[in-house]
Amino acid sequence: METLHNKSLQAFLENISLLANKYCGRVFANKMRTLRTERERLLNNNWRKLPPDALLSAEKQEIFRVIDFDTIVLNASEYLKEKDYVVFLYDVSETAISFSEMERAQRLLHMIVTKLKSRATNRLLAKAHQRLGDISFYRNNWVTTLRQYKKSLDLFTKLKNNEGMAHINSSMGSALVEQGEVAKGEKLLVKAKAIAKRAKLVRLLAKIDVNLGNVFNMRGMWNEALVCYKESLSLIGRNRDDAERAKLYINMAIVYKARGEYDKALEYFQRSIKFSTKANDLYYKGLSYLGEADLYCRKGDLAAGTALATTAFRIFSGLGDRLSVAEVYKVFGIINRQNKRYDTALSYFENSKRINEEYDNPLNLGETMTEMAKLYGMKGGETDKARESAKSAISCFKRIHAGLKVTEVKEMLAAYTA
C-alpha cells in the first residue's frame, strides 16, 4: 500500500511532467518517456540482485519519482532558451510549494537568485526572493525570512510594483507578529492594506484581513478577529482559492475553540481540512489535525487526540516546521498530564518550551508555560514551580499585549498563592 507521501509525490511528479511537456514540447515528452522506461528496466534488473525485503515497492516508486524530477529539470535546459528556462524553473518551484515539496522548491529558487541571476528579470528575482522568504517563514527561520523579504521588497520598490510591495509588507508584518514584534508587524499590515486598497487588490486584501485577524486572535480579542475573518471570507467570495479558505477556516476554528464553542470549532477544522486537501496544502492540513487534537483533549477523548496529534507530528516533521512540532509536544504533554503520567507530560512540555525559546515565540511559549503551571499545580507539593511557570507565561503574554491571556494566568497564579 502506498504511503500518503508517496501518493502526493506521484501527483506532484505528474504535474511537473505536464508542465515540462507544455514548456518543452512533444520531442521532449517522447525523450522523457524513453528515458523513464529504460531507467526503470535497468534499476529493476539491478534490484533483483538484492535480498527480497531490501526495498519495498513504495520505496522503489519513490526513488523512481525522485530520479524523474531531477531528469526533467536537467534535460529541460536543452529545449529552452536561457530566459525561458529560468521562468520554467520558477514555475516548477511554485508547483513544488503547492505540494509542500519545500526542499525541491528552495533548491530551484536559490539557483535562480544565484547561479542564474543574470538570466532572470528583476520581477522574477523579486518573486523568487519572496518565495524563499515564504519557505523560511514556514520553517520559522525569521532571520532568513526577513532578509529574503527585504531583498524582494527592494526589487519591487525599484520596479514601482504596488502589488509586490503590498504582498511583501503583509508577509513581513506577519513574520514580525509571529516573532512577538506585534506592534511593528501590525504597522506593516496596516501599510500593506492601504496599498492594496488603492490598487484594488481584492485577493490580497482578503489575506491581509486574515493576518490582522490573527493579531486580534493573539490578543484574545475574539470578536474583532472574527470580524476580520468574515470580511476576508466575503472578499474571497466565489473565487476558488482553496488554500486561503483553508487558512480562514482554521483561524475561525481557533477563535470558536477559545470561546468554548467546541462543536462549531470542530465544524470549521473539518472545513479547513477539506480545502487544504483540495489545495494539496499539508501545512494547513497538519494545523487542522493539531487543532482537532487539542479540541478532543479538552472534550476528554484522549485516544482521538493522540491519533490526530501523531498525524500532525508526522506532517510537521516532514515539513521541517519546528514551531508546529513544539505545539504537538504541548498537546502530547496535555494528554499525558490528563492521564496522570506527570513525568512523561513534563518531558513533552520541556521539549515544547525549548523549541519555543529557541525560536523566540512568546505566544506559544506562554501557552506551554501555562500548561506546565497547571501540571505542577496538579502534582501537589510543587506550588513554587507552578507559580514560577505562571509568572513566565505572564511575561510572554505581556510582550505581545495579550491582555486576556495575562488576566487568565494571573487568576491561576492567585490560586497557587492562596
Side-chain angles (χ1 to χ4, degrees):
M1 180 181 294
E2 284 192 307
T3 64
L4 179 65
H5 178 261
N6 207 272
K7 288 180 180 178
S8 176
L9 186 61
Q10 180 179 0
F12 167 61
L13 259 300
E14 287 171 357
N15 276 266
I16 295 300
S17 182
L18 289 171
L19 181 66
N21 293 346
K22 178 182 175 182
Y23 266 89
C24 301
R26 185 175 298 177
V27 175
F28 173 83
N30 290 337
K31 179 181 178 180
M32 290 302 99
R33 196 177 302 113
T34 301
L35 285 173
R36 188 179 300 114
T37 301
E38 180 63 12
R39 176 258 298 150
E40 289 186 9
R41 185 187 67 80
L42 289 171
L43 285 177
N44 278 322
N45 284 338
N46 288 332
W47 280 334
R48 288 194 185 98
K49 300 172 185 177
L50 297 173
D53 297 330
L55 282 172
L56 300 175
S57 176
E59 291 173 331
K60 291 181 181 179
Q61 290 302 316
E62 184 161 344
I63 291 170
F64 284 148
R65 287 162 193 151
V66 170
I67 296 172
D68 283 344
F69 178 81
D70 290 337
T71 303
I72 288 169
V73 168
L74 177 66
N75 282 273
S77 64
E78 299 175 14
Y79 292 79
L80 295 170
K81 294 178 181 177
E82 288 185 346
K83 61 182 181 64
D84 294 328
Y85 181 59
V86 178
V87 176
F88 165 70
L89 291 183
Y90 178 82
D91 284 349
V92 171
S93 72
E94 285 283 4
T95 303
I97 290 170
S98 74
F99 279 88
S100 299
E101 293 286 340
M102 300 300 181
E103 291 290 345
R104 290 183 173 86
Q106 186 178 41
R107 190 169 75 242
L108 294 180
L109 290 165
H110 182 70
M111 187 188 305
I112 290 170
V113 301
T114 54
K115 185 178 178 183
L116 304 178
K117 182 178 179 179
S118 62
R119 307 178 192 178
T121 64
N122 279 342
R123 186 172 184 275
L124 186 66
L125 288 171
K127 289 165 64 180
H129 281 298
Q130 179 181 3
R131 286 315 231 166
L132 283 167
D134 292 341
I135 291 170
S136 295
F137 191 121
Y138 274 118
R139 291 173 172 170
N140 321 120
N141 187 339
W142 307 124
V143 173
T144 303
T145 297
L146 293 172
R147 184 173 68 245
Q148 292 294 343
Y149 283 156
K150 180 65 169 58
K151 289 180 179 179
S152 179
L153 182 60
D154 288 344
L155 287 164
F156 278 130
T157 303
K158 183 178 180 181
L159 294 165
K160 298 180 181 178
N161 186 312
N162 285 325
E163 182 175 359
M165 288 188 285
H167 271 285
I168 295 300
N169 275 295
S170 173
S171 296
M172 290 179 75
S174 298
L176 287 166
V177 169
E178 288 288 332
Q179 293 179 76
E181 299 283 351
V182 179
K184 290 181 182 178
E186 187 174 359
K187 185 177 178 180
L188 285 179
L189 289 170
V190 171
K191 181 180 179 180
K193 187 168 184 175
I195 298 171
K197 270 190 173 181
R198 287 197 301 270
K200 297 180 180 178
L201 304 171
V202 175
R203 289 185 67 181
L204 179 57
L205 278 171
K207 185 175 181 179
I208 293 169
D209 274 324
V210 172
N211 292 333
L212 284 171
N214 292 345
V215 172
F216 291 128
N217 205 342
M218 288 177 72
R219 291 176 175 169
M221 301 167 67
W222 314 127
N223 292 335
E224 291 84 349
L226 280 175
V227 167
C228 286
Y229 296 147
K230 288 177 180 178
E231 184 179 332
S232 179
L233 201 57
S234 68
L235 287 168
I236 289 175
R238 296 181 180 276
N239 293 339
R240 294 194 62 185
D241 197 334
D242 296 329
E244 283 303 309
R245 285 186 188 276
K247 186 189 299 185
L248 261 174
Y249 287 135
I250 193 171
N251 288 328
M252 293 175 79
I254 290 167
V255 171
Y256 288 125
K257 184 180 72 171
R259 298 204 314 193
E261 299 177 47
Y262 293 162
D263 289 341
K264 203 158 190 176
L266 187 59
E267 175 192 340
Y268 277 83
F269 279 130
Q270 289 295 324
R271 288 188 189 184
S272 182
I273 289 170
K274 173 185 173 183
F275 284 101
S276 58
T277 300
K278 283 186 176 183
N280 293 304
D281 195 317
L282 277 177
Y283 176 70
Y284 281 104
K285 185 183 286 189
L287 286 181
S288 295
Y289 286 141
L290 178 58
E292 281 192 324
D294 184 48
L295 189 60
Y296 278 111
C297 288
R298 291 169 186 254
K299 296 175 72 173
D301 190 344
L302 301 184
T306 301
L308 287 161
T310 302
T311 302
F313 187 87
R314 286 202 298 268
I315 290 172
F316 296 135
S317 295
L319 294 176
D321 182 354
R322 293 289 291 160
L323 270 180
S324 293
V325 166
E327 286 296 278
V328 181
Y329 280 136
K330 184 184 73 181
V331 172
F332 282 151
I334 293 170
I335 291 168
N336 281 278
R337 186 186 64 203
Q338 290 182 220
N339 280 323
K340 297 184 179 180
R341 292 194 287 263
Y342 297 130
D343 289 342
T344 303
L346 183 59
S347 174
Y348 282 125
F349 287 142
E350 289 287 357
N351 285 345
S352 180
K353 176 187 174 185
R354 186 177 65 253
I355 295 170
N356 284 312
E357 286 176 337
E358 179 185 346
Y359 288 96
D360 192 25
N361 188 293
L363 174 63
N364 293 0
L365 179 57
E367 291 177 347
T368 296
M369 298 311 296
T370 301
E371 299 300 336
M372 286 180 72
K374 291 177 184 177
L375 182 146
Y376 287 126
M378 290 172 65
K379 285 182 74 174
E382 299 201 36
T383 52
D384 286 345
K385 290 183 179 179
R387 284 195 294 270
E388 184 182 330
S389 297
K391 287 176 181 177
S392 295
I394 290 169
S395 296
C396 291
F397 293 142
K398 280 183 175 179
R399 276 184 61 191
I400 57 173
H401 309 289
L404 183 61
K405 291 181 182 291
V406 169
T407 301
E408 289 174 351
V409 181
K410 279 185 175 179
E411 290 174 359
M412 182 194 307
L413 182 60
Y416 296 143
T417 55

